[in-house]
Structure formats: structure tokens, C-alpha cells
């Protein structure tokens, strides 16, 4: 009989380097916690962008959350304040609270954002981890579009891009047809979808179907570590916002679903490669993601030459998995 492997001989896979681009509101904070708690990936940099709130206070939230998680060394850079064709519109305090994190006051980290723009951080990391770096973008796509403008060869060094955004068959959430991340900067989104890289788009069609319940929030509030406990508080405001949508206190898991798909802990069971057009007109369709989902009834129909997969379904409910990962977080030593 062959000997059982000793524990020290089991070599864990090296965590994959990941850059997060975010507008740190409530569900971004949940996604951040999830990524920090996932051993398969290592956050090597975070850039912020205006969306739920302005990019500078989004960086402050990010630094405070990192400190709370006991992982203060992840570089954080402030990115675009304004969008490609227009100024920042003031964010979504009715959804995320005036400070972006449900009006919960976190202990303030002593760390400041690093000097330089988030675009520079992303470009630097793309060289440092050429061919390996994965991007998760859970805010408007302004920083990614600016990075592509500054250096179109960026696409050659990026392994994958996972984006929370858009709505295909589902209704929009900031207009009848536009989802917030795409609708806040449609020109940037159009540039990012036109670039030659592998994109996984995680739209409202699937994120609205994965939720946290009040019982999950209570589980987070009772967790051992300060990070999940803070998330339990931060989610309170977000639950208020979603109550009229779902008919009870609960919330959608937009950004956490993009994070979980990027990590690989959940798998897309329906995700056709399809052309995506972003409406950049000034009309009522502005910000709509027009995904060619015709003839998909019998299964995924992949369009030749297209590299954006549009996630329609995943293999299991995200909520219970998310709670398990977050409550497994440990207190900083
Ligand atoms: C997206 O918009 C933001 O409000 C959320 O953080 C999420 O990234 C959902 O439409
Ligand atoms: Ca977000």
C-alpha cells in the first residue's frame, strides 16, 4: 500500500494574480471580502473608479476594508473621477448610502492610496504579471478604457477580464434598458468590448437571480471576524433598497457573482460567446448592452470570432457559498 502523502508534501497551487477595478459600494465590499478570502487568487492591486460614489472616497472605503480584513498591503490607486464623455453624476447614495458602504463608519486605516492613477497601476501590473494577470471589473469601465487608450498592447498581457455589467433580456436598473456600470460610461464599455481579449460578462440577467436573505445577514453579523460582521451592518441599507424589488428584505449579488466566477468557485453553465453592442447614442437606449441572444433556446450558440461570453446561468446558488466563505474569514492577528 502506498503511503498517505504527508501534509507538508501537499503543495498548494500558487494563487493567481488578480487586479480589481471597483467603485467600492456595498456589493463591491462583499466581492472584495470574497476575493480576499479566496486562496485561489491573490489581489495584487486595486483601482477605484467613480460609480456608486466618487473614485477618491471609493479608495478610502477600500483601504479601510483591507485594514479590517488584516490585509493592508494590497496597493490601492485612485482612478478616473469623470467618465469618458461626461462628468461624474453624483453616484447612488439611495442604493449604497452617502458614504458608499451603507453609512457604516469603519475604523479609518492609516494608509493612503498609492501615488499615481489606477491606470498606471494596472499597466504596471500587466507587465509584472504579463500573461497571467486577471482583471475583475465591478464598476464603470472608465479605467479599463483609459488603460486601453494609453497602451493598446495591454490586451496581450491580460489572461482574462470578468465584468459585472449589462442586461441582455433583463431590464436595466438605472434606465429601462441600462445597467449602472455600463450606463454610467457607455463609451468606455464599448471600447472594452471592442478590444481583443477574453471577457466574461456577468449581467443583471443572472446577478438578480442570486441573493442574500436576512438570515444570511444575521449569520454575517454573528461571525467571528470583524470583516464579515461589518458586511452584515453595511448590507442593512442595501436590503432596504431591494425590499420593494423582491418583496422582502434581501439583496442581489451583482459584484460577488463576478468575483466568484473569476475565482472559479462557481461555473457558468450557460455562457454563449456573442456579439455585444453598447448603445452610445443620446437616446432612450443609451447604455444598453445589446447582446445577440437569438437562437439560444436549445443551448449555447457561440458566434465565431467573438470573445465575450454572456453569463446566463451558473451551476449553484451563490448565496450559501458566499456566506460560507465570508464567515470563514479569520480575525487579523
Ligand atoms: C452594479 O452597479 C453598482 O451599483 C453595483 O456595485 C454593481 O457593480 C449593479 O448594477
Ligand atoms: Ca460595483
Amino acid at each position: 500500500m502506498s503511503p498517505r502523502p504527508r501534509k507538508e508534501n501537499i503543495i498548494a497551487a500558487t494563487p493567481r494574480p488578480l487586479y480589481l477595478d471597483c467603485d467600492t459600494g456595498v456589493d463591491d465590499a462583499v466581492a472584495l471580502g470574497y476575493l480576499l478570502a479566496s486562496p485561489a487568487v491573490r489581489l495584487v492591486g486595486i483601482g477605484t473608479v467613480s460609480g456608486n460614489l466618487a473614485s477618491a472616497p471609493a479608495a478610502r472605503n477600500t483601504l479601510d476594508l483591507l485594514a479590517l480584513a488584516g490585509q493592508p498591503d494590497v496597493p490601492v490607486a485612485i482612478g478616473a473621477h469623470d467618465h469618458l464623455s461626461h462628468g461624474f453624476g453624483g453616484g447612488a447614495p439611495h442604493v449604497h448610502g452617502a458614504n458608499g458602504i451603507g453609512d457604516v463608519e469603519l475604523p479609518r486605516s492609516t494608509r493612503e492610496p498609492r501615488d499615481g492613477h489606477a491606470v498606471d497601476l494596472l499597466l504596471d501590473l500587466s507587465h509584472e504579471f504579463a500573461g497571467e494577470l486577471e482583471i475583475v471589473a465591478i464598476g464603470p469601465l472608465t479605467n479599463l478604457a483609459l488603460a486601453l487608450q494609453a497602451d493598446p498592447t495591454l490586451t496581450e498581457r491580460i489572461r482574462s477580464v470578468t465584468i459585472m455589467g449589462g442586461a441582455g433580456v433583463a431590464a436595466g436598473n438605472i434606465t429601462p434598458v441600462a445597467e449602472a456600470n455600463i450606463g454610467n460610461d457607455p463609451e468606455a464599455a464599448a471600447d472594452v468590448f471592442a478590444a481583443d481579449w477574453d471577457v466574461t460578462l456577468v449581467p443583471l440577467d443572472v446577478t438578480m437571480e442570486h441573493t442574500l436573505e436576512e438570515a444570511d445577514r444575521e449569520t454575517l453579523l454573528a461571525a467571528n471576524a470583524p470583516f464579515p460582521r461589518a458586511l452584515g451592518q453595511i448590507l442593512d441599507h442595501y436590503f432596504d433598497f431591494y425590499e420593494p424589488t423582491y418583496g422582502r428584505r434581501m439583496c442581489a449579488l451583482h459584484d460577488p457573482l463576478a468575483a466568484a466566477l473569476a475565482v472559479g468557485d462557481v461555473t457558468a453553465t450557460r455562457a454563449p460567446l456573442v456579439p455585444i453592442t453598447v448603445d452610445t447614442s443620446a437616446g432612450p437606449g443609451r447604455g444598453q448592452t445589446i447582446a445577440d441572444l437569438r437562437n439560444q433556446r436549445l443551448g449555447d450558440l457561440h458566434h465565431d470570432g467573438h470573445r465575450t461570453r454572456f453569463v446566463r446561468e451558473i451551476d449553484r446558488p451563490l448565496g450559501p457559498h458566499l456566506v460560507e466563505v465570508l464567515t470563514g474569514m479569520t480575525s487579523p492577528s
Side-chain angles (χ1 to χ4, degrees), residues 223-241:
N224 288 326
F227 196 104
R229 285 202 300 270
L231 287 182
Q233 296 174 338
I234 288 169
L235 281 161
D236 194 28
H237 187 281
Y238 205 51
F239 274 43
D240 287 344
F241 170 75

Side-chain angles (χ1 to χ4, degrees), residues 22-25 27-28 52 96 138-140 181 255:
C22 54
D23 54 339
T24 312
D27 59 328
D28 302 75
N52 296 325
H96 297 269
I138 54 177
N181 289 342
D255 295 345

Side-chain angles (χ1 to χ4, degrees), residues 156-192:
E156 296 164 15
R157 299 187 297 279
I158 298 300
R159 186 167 170 197
S160 65
V161 185
T162 304
I163 295 169
M164 189 282 131
V169 177
N173 61 3
I174 57 166
T175 76
V177 294
E179 179 280 332
N181 289 342
I182 307 300
N184 279 324
D185 198 341
E187 284 78 13
D191 289 352
V192 169

Side-chain angles (χ1 to χ4, degrees), residues 31-32 59-60 63 66 81 100 107 123 135 137 156 158 171 194 237 265 271 285:
L32 175 61
R60 172 46 52 203
L63 289 164
L66 287 170
H81 176 78
L123 291 174
I135 296 175
E156 296 164 15
I158 298 300
H237 187 281
D265 285 345

